[in-house]
Amino acid sequence: EICCALGDFYFDKSETALAIDWYSAAASGAAPEIVAVTAGKYPLDKLADCYRLIGDVEKEHIFRRKAAEWQPESLLNESEYNKYIELSI
């Protein structure tokens, strides 16, 4: 979670390069302590957002595809995942 939280912090401050570093850490296997979803779809989507902002369309598409392919049931059952997403919106 801390990797995503730091990514969000830098993303909100328009410090995209630092946000990319933290979302990459979250997406590449930094084990979440509390919310398992932070190891999958969320940081991948946020990486795509970052790359869109800096104009790297190729990497944006790569991370959108990875986010779409990520299977939440690998960490949570679908019901728990859906509850988390609803609470996050």
Side-chain angles (χ1 to χ4, degrees):
E1 296 83 17
I2 192 69
C3 292
C4 285
L6 287 166
D8 290 344
F9 173 80
Y10 288 114
F11 185 86
D12 292 343
K13 293 195 164 291
S14 298
E15 295 186 36
T16 310
L18 289 170
I20 288 171
D21 290 342
W22 286 107
Y23 291 132
S24 294
S28 66
E33 298 289 325
I34 300 167
V35 183
V37 175
T38 59
K41 184 172 175 49
Y42 182 79
L44 294 170
D45 275 332
K46 294 302 284 186
L47 279 166
D49 292 343
C50 289
Y51 284 115
R52 178 181 40 81
L53 287 174
I54 62 172
D56 191 332
V57 177
E58 182 179 340
K59 284 187 180 177
E60 176 191 1
H61 290 301
I62 289 168
F63 285 102
R64 290 274 181 238
R65 187 184 75 248
K66 287 182 178 192
E69 293 171 352
W70 187 76
Q71 298 297 312
E73 49 281 345
S74 65
L75 296 172
L76 295 175
N77 70 46
E78 193 162 340
S79 172
E80 291 170 326
Y81 176 75
N82 289 335
K83 284 181 201 173
Y84 173 76
I85 293 302
E86 288 171 13
L87 292 173
S88 299
I89 296 175

